[in-house]
Amino acid sequence: MEAPVVEVRDVDAGYPGELILNDVTFDVARGEIFILLGGSGCGKSTMMKHMIGLNPVIAGEILIAGERWSAKTRASLCRKIGVMYQSGALFGSMTCLENVMLPLDEFSGLKRKARREKALSLLGDVGLLDAADKMPGEISGGMRKRVAIARAMALDPEVVFLDEPSAGLDPITSSALDDLILALRREKGMTFVVVTHELPSIFKIADRCAIFDKARKVMVALGKPAELRDKSEDEFVRKFFNRGEISHGE
């Protein structure tokens, strides 16, 4: 059996003096779309920050492709992950093509022509080849997120992390972005870890999800969204899926 791409082991998540989640354990399989869920302040964004190495865990360990985050492995692991931040975080003074080329310029060692060709190919993968020479301010919010996904894939990462990919998008654009994520998984075997609270997206793209509860400071459920919605014995989980009235955002 193939080893998981991401391993979260007995993790206490939070910040010095502030425990947000206690003793969390789960794996993310290769080619899986795995979603982190929960209400406001539950720890889903904090967990993602731990997983991408922005903040150290309070206790436990996180492994990416078998490597633990540490000062020694940081440079190597940063090349094994791709991240799309909620706003897209594109550089407004650079064209879309230049934004996608940036990780290649910094880390790939490829010649400029090869870097450009790969970046153009990635823009083609997300349906934005025609936007290569446009500035981020000249394209829509949904298009900016597509460019950010292309940039996140530039170094052929083991796993791509998406922070609220549907935030600020209308339902049609959000659904199209979901379709893109599914296509990238299908065509390229990409592994995704996604923070979202959008129920339509959750049921459309997620293979499995982890649900965190702020009040109990624990992961209260782990599994397929439809099974958790229909069969969970936890009241918080049932309310989250069947009513969607848990407060959102973190």
Side-chain angles (χ1 to χ4, degrees):
M1 185 174 179
E2 190 173 14
V5 179
V6 180
E7 299 171 69
V8 176
R9 294 281 175 263
D10 306 315
V11 165
D12 287 354
Y15 309 93
E18 181 185 8
L19 177 68
I20 296 177
L21 286 168
N22 181 56
D23 196 23
V24 176
T25 294
F26 61 83
D27 292 334
V28 179
R30 190 170 300 280
E32 186 172 30
I33 300 175
F34 190 95
I35 296 189
L36 307 178
L37 302 175
S40 176
C42 73
K44 56 188 184 294
S45 292
T46 299
M47 181 61 71
M48 179 171 279
K49 288 176 182 176
H50 291 323
M51 294 171 79
I52 65 176
L54 280 182
N55 296 325
V57 299
I58 296 174
E61 63 180 8
I62 295 175
L63 288 76
I64 306 292
E67 280 192 280
R68 295 170 178 82
W69 279 107
S70 70
K72 197 173 188 179
T73 62
R74 183 170 187 81
S76 169
L77 285 177
C78 282
R79 290 165 176 74
K80 292 185 178 182
I81 65 171
V83 184
M84 189 218 79
Y85 296 97
Q86 183 173 330
S87 64
L90 300 179
F91 290 94
S93 61
M94 303 170 70
T95 66
C96 293
L97 177 61
E98 289 168 341
N99 268 281
V100 178
M101 285 179 66
L102 189 60
L104 298 168
D105 293 340
E106 293 289 327
F107 301 113
S108 72
L110 296 172
K111 293 184 177 180
R112 179 171 176 78
K113 182 180 179 181
R115 298 198 303 269
R116 178 182 172 83
E117 288 176 352
K118 181 164 186 179
L120 287 170
S121 177
L122 288 164
L123 284 172
D125 290 339
V126 300
L128 285 180
L129 192 56
D130 291 344
D133 295 324
K134 292 184 178 180
M135 308 299 284
E138 298 176 316
I139 61 176
S140 69
M143 293 169 75
R144 286 194 292 272
K145 294 200 176 189
R146 285 173 176 260
V147 174
I149 290 174
R151 184 177 63 184
M153 299 191 303
L155 297 176
D156 300 317
E158 299 278 351
V159 55
V160 174
F161 293 86
L162 307 177
D163 186 13
E164 297 282 6
S166 299
L169 302 181
D170 63 81
I172 293 174
T173 304
S174 177
S175 180
L177 195 62
D178 290 338
D179 289 337
L180 172 64
I181 293 167
L182 289 169
L184 291 171
R185 191 267 296 274
R186 181 177 63 251
E187 296 166 10
K188 293 181 172 294
M190 300 296 302
T191 304
F192 291 97
V193 175
V194 186
V195 168
T196 187
H197 62 259
E198 301 288 345
L199 289 176
S201 292
I202 293 164
F203 287 110
K204 185 174 181 178
I205 70 173
D207 293 305
R208 289 187 304 142
C209 58
I211 305 178
F212 306 131
D213 181 8
K214 178 181 179 180
R216 287 174 281 180
K217 296 187 177 182
V218 295
M219 181 176 72
V220 292
L222 176 68
K224 297 179 180 180
E227 291 182 1
L228 296 178
R229 176 195 62 199
D230 298 337
K231 299 178 181 179
S232 177
E233 297 181 359
D234 189 282
E235 182 181 5
F236 178 89
V237 175
R238 293 198 307 272
K239 285 183 176 180
F240 187 94
F241 282 122
N242 292 306
R243 294 168 54 194
E245 293 179 355
I246 305 298
S247 60
H248 300 313
E250 183 185 328

